[in-house]
Amino acid sequence: MLKTILFDKIALLRGLLTKEYAYVGPLHITIDTTRRCNLRCLGCRYQDPRVNFPSTGGQKGMDVSLDLLKQLCKDAKPMGTNAMILTGEGEPFLHPQYPDVISTIKESGYHLTARTNGTLMKDEIIHKMIDLKVDVLKVSLWATSIEEYQHLYPGVNTDNFNKIIEGLKRVARIKQERRSELPSLIIHQVVNKYNFSTVEKMVDLIHQAGCDGLYFAPFKAWKGALTSVFLSTDEEKELERQMVIARKKMSTLGIQHNVPTALLRFKTGNEVWKKYPCYVAWFHARVKLDGTVIPCDPYTVAVGNLNQERMPQIWNNEHYRNFRRKTLSREGLVDICRESDCGFCCHLGYNARIHRVGKWLKLTSTWR
């Protein structure tokens, strides 16, 4: 494993030196699983009608094709891809062939993160994930109470809150009964003005539910929609104070967290292009329901489609190489931002780590 990681890093560096060609990867691929959804999360670009931000890919199909997924798994392995993430424009568990989806990925030898809103965690699917050794089950839960839930999931049944908590406890119990450490149970909390003051309470909640980790993310406004939900400067300072306390508590309890990266994302804010170049196109690809491929979700221009080309051809085609060249200059990145929303970038942690090496090698003269 260490040998593979070293090889990947060397190959990644070799590609960065060309400023457009990738010799390994994508190291991880995010797959949109389905458009079906049973929630309407605040600010969701797919389900909240107040957000008017375009979605890349055709709108005809509801679910990713199992045949497309099988071909992708076959093609990506020799490229150095080692991890896949199942997410979606909706709730992944609602894919009608979801057990086959996770079987296809795990039986192909990938590290798998399965994302969910947590409302459908039945015994059958939990046992299936344990049988297949799904690596991470990441549950999106923003609220610590029914009152918060009403604000953060407008228009849905608030009974879902207790259903999710019971589901988390169920996963932890079944894992214990089967003496399995997998899947690692991680909570994903998007922080905004409705829940920033209860960060420490969330630590207590997920600890009592038997979860393994808690990851924070800033709320995205998607080109200005719902900016009223953003934190004020004083609220950000209070959030930072709470996260420092929560970090110590989680370390004591043995709970995984991403506090340093979350704070970096808040500090960097909306105009991320002013502080960091973007290296995402050297390590990541996102596959939409219809096979459309984009470097990351906020980018709205397709770089290929798996129904027309295979991933090895798309990965270094003209569109991907052009994207890589642009993201290494501020002018190019500003141009990219016109077609996307890079604020509070979810890949900022990776970009910051790569940039420590990139600026030393003088891959770009813009950022130091």
Side-chain angles (χ1 to χ4, degrees), residues 34 39 41 196 263 297 336 345:
T34 186
L39 291 184
C41 304
F196 78 95
L263 289 176
D297 194 40
I336 293 248
C345 172

Side-chain angles (χ1 to χ4, degrees), residues 136-163:
V136 178
L137 178 59
K138 185 173 283 189
V139 180
S140 180
L141 177 61
W142 305 3
T144 61
S145 67
I146 290 177
E147 291 72 28
E148 281 183 0
Y149 196 89
Q150 287 176 316
H151 288 296
L152 298 165
Y153 302 86
V156 301
N157 192 335
T158 54
D159 289 345
N160 282 332
F161 176 74
N162 290 325
K163 183 187 296 186

Side-chain angles (χ1 to χ4, degrees), residues 14-145:
R14 182 185 172 204
L16 284 167
L17 290 171
T18 72
K19 299 190 176 182
E20 67 174 70
Y21 195 88
Y23 290 98
V24 66
L27 299 180
H28 61 273
I29 297 175
T30 301
I31 301 165
D32 276 22
T33 316
T34 186
R35 192 170 285 121
R36 307 171 195 271
C37 199
N38 59 344
L39 291 184
R40 185 174 290 175
C41 304
L42 181 71
C44 175
R45 65 181 284 197
Y46 305 114
Q47 307 296 335
D48 190 332
R50 293 168 293 182
V51 179
N52 185 25
F53 192 81
S55 175
T56 309
Q59 299 297 306
K60 293 182 179 179
M62 292 297 291
D63 311 294
V64 70
S65 159
L66 197 57
D67 288 338
L68 183 146
L69 186 58
K70 288 177 179 177
Q71 188 63 61
L72 174 62
C73 288
K74 181 178 179 181
D75 288 343
K77 201 67 177 177
M79 298 173 65
T81 303
N82 50 51
M84 293 196 176
I85 302 164
L86 289 175
T87 185
E89 298 185 13
E91 164 52 40
F93 280 23
L94 288 173
H95 190 294
Q97 296 175 288
Y98 192 70
D100 296 325
V101 168
I102 59 176
S103 296
T104 297
I105 296 173
K106 285 306 300 180
E107 289 170 3
S108 299
Y110 293 96
H111 180 284
L112 174 59
T113 297
R115 302 191 68 166
T116 175
N117 63 31
T119 60
L120 302 170
M121 295 188 293
K122 306 297 185 183
D123 285 18
E124 183 180 359
I125 191 64
I126 296 169
H127 283 290
K128 182 72 172 179
M129 288 187 167
I130 293 174
D131 291 340
L132 290 168
K133 294 182 170 57
V134 169
D135 301 273
V136 178
L137 178 59
K138 185 173 283 189
V139 180
S140 180
L141 177 61
W142 305 3
T144 61
S145 67

Side-chain angles (χ1 to χ4, degrees), residues 6 10 20 36 57 133 144 190 195 215 242 279 345 356:
L6 180 61
I10 292 172
E20 67 174 70
R36 307 171 195 271
K133 294 182 170 57
T144 61
V190 174
N195 62 4
Y215 287 10
Q242 286 219 21
Y279 301 99
C345 172
R356 291 182 198 136

Side-chain angles (χ1 to χ4, degrees), residues 153-351:
Y153 302 86
V156 301
N157 192 335
T158 54
D159 289 345
N160 282 332
F161 176 74
N162 290 325
K163 183 187 296 186
I164 294 167
I165 301 303
E166 290 306 311
L168 295 174
K169 293 178 179 178
R170 185 180 300 113
V171 174
R173 174 179 55 78
I174 294 175
K175 282 173 59 180
Q176 185 176 37
E177 291 172 353
R178 296 194 53 180
R179 298 180 181 179
S180 175
E181 294 184 358
L182 298 177
S184 183
L185 184 56
I186 307 294
I187 299 302
H188 175 80
Q189 184 185 28
V190 174
V191 182
N192 55 52
K193 75 182 303 103
Y194 290 119
N195 62 4
F196 78 95
S197 62
T198 55
V199 165
E200 192 176 356
K201 185 178 178 182
M202 179 62 86
V203 175
D204 294 332
L205 183 69
I206 67 113
H207 177 60
Q208 293 165 9
C211 300
D212 301 297
L214 174 57
Y215 287 10
F216 303 100
F219 183 83
K220 282 183 71 74
W222 298 114
K223 293 291 188 182
L226 297 173
T227 51
S228 60
V229 184
F230 272 13
L231 300 182
S232 67
T233 301
D234 288 342
E235 287 170 339
E236 281 197 19
K237 289 179 181 178
E238 172 60 19
L239 173 65
E240 183 175 359
R241 187 190 72 81
Q242 286 219 21
M243 280 196 170
V244 170
I245 296 172
R247 180 180 185 178
K248 293 178 181 178
K249 193 168 191 175
M250 287 187 285
S251 296
T252 301
L253 294 172
I255 296 173
Q256 303 171 41
H257 64 82
N258 72 335
V259 169
T261 299
L263 289 176
L264 176 65
R265 290 178 67 186
F266 273 104
K267 182 179 179 180
T268 304
N270 251 326
E271 296 181 320
V272 62
W273 53 269
K274 287 186 176 180
K275 299 180 181 179
Y276 292 96
C278 175
Y279 301 99
V280 69
W282 271 276
F283 61 80
H284 179 261
R286 181 153 181 160
V287 177
K288 305 297 286 183
L289 295 171
D290 68 342
T292 295
V293 178
I294 49 179
C296 64
D297 194 40
Y299 189 58
T300 58
V301 180
V303 293
N305 190 292
L306 293 176
N307 291 302
Q308 299 161 7
E309 293 180 284
R310 306 264 280 273
M311 185 57 82
Q313 287 70 50
I314 293 173
W315 186 233
N316 277 302
N317 66 15
E318 179 183 353
H319 302 295
Y320 239 122
R321 296 200 314 273
N322 182 54
F323 183 92
R324 292 182 185 121
R325 287 193 300 269
K326 277 189 169 185
T327 53
L328 288 183
S329 75
R330 181 167 290 176
E331 296 77 13
L333 198 49
V334 168
D335 186 48
I336 293 248
C337 286
R338 294 191 185 101
E339 301 165 335
S340 61
D341 186 345
C342 298
F344 299 98
C345 172
C346 62
H347 296 289
L348 184 58
Y350 291 104
N351 282 333

